[in-house]
């Protein structure tokens, strides 16, 4: 299906991801999935570039849709 960002509780940027970065890692935790009319995933995520945490987000909410017409 397709996903659409619905919101975020908190986010922090600590700097840019530079083109010279050798390794970029995403760490995502999805502790909650709500299945009703809308399927919504709630979780936290971090982006780590060359061992340094660059971006973190808490309380990410993403809605999942089965067809493009639902968007």
């Amino acid at each position: 299906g397709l996903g659409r960002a619905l919101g975020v509780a908190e986010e922090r940027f600590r700097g840019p991801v530079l083109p010279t970065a050798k390794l970029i890692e995403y760490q995502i935790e999805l502790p909650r999935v709500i299945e009703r009319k809308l399927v919504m995933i709630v979780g936290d995520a971090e982006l780590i570039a060359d061992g340094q945490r660059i971006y973190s987000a808490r309380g990410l909410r993403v809605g999942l849709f089965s067809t493009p017409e639902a968007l």
Side-chain angles (χ1 to χ4, degrees), residues 7-14 44-45 54-60:
V8 63
E10 174 187 335
E11 60 185 346
R12 294 187 72 187
F13 292 95
R14 293 175 179 84
D44 302 326
I54 301 296
Y55 172 76
S56 63
R58 304 281 174 249
L60 289 166

Side-chain angles (χ1 to χ4, degrees), residues 2-62:
L2 301 171
R4 174 184 269 178
L6 299 176
V8 63
E10 174 187 335
E11 60 185 346
R12 294 187 72 187
F13 292 95
R14 293 175 179 84
V17 177
L18 301 173
T20 56
K22 303 246 186 263
L23 178 64
I24 296 175
E25 301 173 76
Y26 294 93
Q27 295 180 352
I28 302 170
E29 294 181 28
L30 303 173
R32 194 163 174 214
V33 177
I34 301 166
E35 295 186 63
R36 295 192 181 132
K37 274 184 157 179
L38 166 74
V39 176
M40 185 170 69
I41 296 174
V42 181
D44 302 326
E46 294 183 337
L47 183 146
I48 300 165
D50 291 336
Q52 291 189 324
R53 187 177 4 189
I54 301 296
Y55 172 76
S56 63
R58 304 281 174 249
L60 289 166
R61 293 184 311 278
V62 176

